[in-house]
C-alpha cells in the first residue's frame, strides 16, 4: 500500500461514525388452529422495502419498550415483548438531509396479542403477516434474514416442547 493510499484510508477511518442505534420488534403470532407461526412485515415509508417496526431511542424508555412502542405506531400491534435481544442487524439509512448513515437495529421478539384499528402511521405502510420463508425472501438485509431463520428455529423448539407428549400404547400381553 502506498503512503498516499494508507493516509487516505486512515483519514477515512477517522471520520467514519459508529452505527446509529435503533430498536426493533420481530412481531409474531401463532395461529390457533394450525399452530403455524407468522411474522409481521411492513413497508418502509421512504423506499417501500420490507422491514420490521423499528425506531430511534426514546427518553425514559428501555430498548425493548421502544420496540413495543414502534410496533404500535408503525403496525398497530400490541403484545408481550421479550426483554432479551434476539440479535441485531445493520442497514444504510438516508436521513432527511440526504446524509447516509449506518444504523444498527437491536431486535426484540414481540408476541402479538391484538391489533388496533387506529394507529399513528396507518395508511402510510403496507402490513402483511407472512411465513418465515416468505419473510426471508422479502427482506433485503442479510443479517435480518439470519435473525428470522434463527427465530424460526427458536419457535420450532419452543412449540415442540409445548406439544402434548404422546403416551405409548399399553403393551398387549397375549392370554395363555
Amino acid at each position: 500500500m502506498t503512503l498516499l493510499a494508507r493516509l487516505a484510508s486512515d483519514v477515512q477511518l477517522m471520520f467514519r461514525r459508529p452505527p446509529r442505534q435503533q430498536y426493533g420488534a420481530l412481531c409474531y403470532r401463532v395461529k390457533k388452529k394450525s399452530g403455524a407461526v407468522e411474522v409481521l412485515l411492513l413497508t418502509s415509508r421512504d423506499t417501500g422495502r420490507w422491514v420490521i417496526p423499528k425506531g430511534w431511542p426514546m427518553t425514559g424508555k428501555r430498548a425493548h419498550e421502544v420496540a413495543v412502542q414502534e410496533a404500535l405506531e408503525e403496525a398497530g400491534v400490541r403484545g408481550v415483548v421479550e426483554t432479551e435481544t434476539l440479535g441485531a442487524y445493520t442497514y444504510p439509512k438516508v436521513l432527511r438531509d440526504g446524509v447516509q448513515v449506518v444504523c444498527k437495529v437491536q431486535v426484540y421478539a414481540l408476541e402479538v396479542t391484538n391489533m388496533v384499528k387506529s394507529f399513528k402511521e396507518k395508511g402510510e405502510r403496507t402490513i402483511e403477516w407472512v411465513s418465515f420463508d416468505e419473510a426471508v425472501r422479502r427482506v433485503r438485509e442479510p443479517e435480518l434474514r439470519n435473525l428470522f431463520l434463527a427465530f424460526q428455529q427458536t419457535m420450532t423448539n419452543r412449540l415442540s416442547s409445548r406439544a402434548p407428549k404422546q403416551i405409548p400404547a399399553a403393551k398387549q400381553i397375549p392370554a395363555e
Side-chain angles (χ1 to χ4, degrees):
M1 184 181 268
T2 68
L3 181 60
L4 189 56
R6 168 91 190 226
L7 185 58
S9 174
D10 289 348
V11 168
Q12 200 173 24
L13 286 173
M14 284 179 5
F15 288 105
R16 184 178 296 162
R17 289 184 175 174
R20 306 266 180 106
Q21 185 66 58
Q22 289 188 319
Y23 304 108
L26 192 159
C27 303
Y28 71 98
R29 66 184 181 187
V30 180
K31 296 184 91 172
K32 285 184 172 73
K33 288 184 181 179
S34 66
V37 179
E38 292 180 316
V39 291
L40 183 112
L41 288 181
L42 50 105
T43 54
S44 67
R45 290 186 295 183
D46 52 358
T47 64
R49 75 187 192 289
W50 291 101
V51 297
I52 61 172
K54 63 187 172 308
W56 303 107
M58 296 175 187
T59 304
K61 288 194 185 279
R62 298 190 335 225
H64 65 277
E65 295 169 330
V66 172
V68 170
Q69 183 68 35
E70 292 298 332
L72 178 60
E73 289 179 8
E74 294 181 6
V77 297
R78 288 194 171 127
V80 179
V81 69
E82 294 181 17
T83 58
E84 292 293 316
T85 183
L86 293 175
Y89 72 97
T90 56
Y91 76 100
K93 179 172 184 66
V94 178
L95 300 176
R96 287 188 182 127
D97 60 7
V99 173
Q100 183 171 318
V101 296
V102 174
C103 291
K104 180 179 180 181
V105 183
Q106 204 168 304
V107 180
Y108 296 87
L110 176 77
E111 183 173 13
V112 174
T113 55
N114 71 320
M115 297 180 72
V116 299
K117 290 182 180 173
S118 181
F119 53 96
K120 187 175 180 179
E121 297 182 16
K122 184 175 182 169
E124 297 179 30
R125 304 169 181 272
T126 301
I127 299 167
E128 288 187 25
W129 287 99
V130 299
S131 67
F132 281 108
D133 291 342
E134 184 62 25
V136 168
R137 278 192 288 277
R138 289 190 188 185
V139 299
R140 290 184 191 166
E141 297 81 7
E143 296 164 311
L144 182 54
R145 285 186 195 127
N146 290 339
L147 284 176
F148 276 117
L149 292 170
F151 190 62
Q152 179 180 26
Q153 187 60 53
T154 297
M155 289 305 296
T156 299
N157 294 343
R158 278 184 195 172
L159 295 173
S160 67
S161 69
R162 284 187 202 167
K165 304 285 185 227
Q166 294 217 336
I167 300 170
K171 236 184 195 179
Q172 295 290 328
I173 303 173
E176 291 185 24

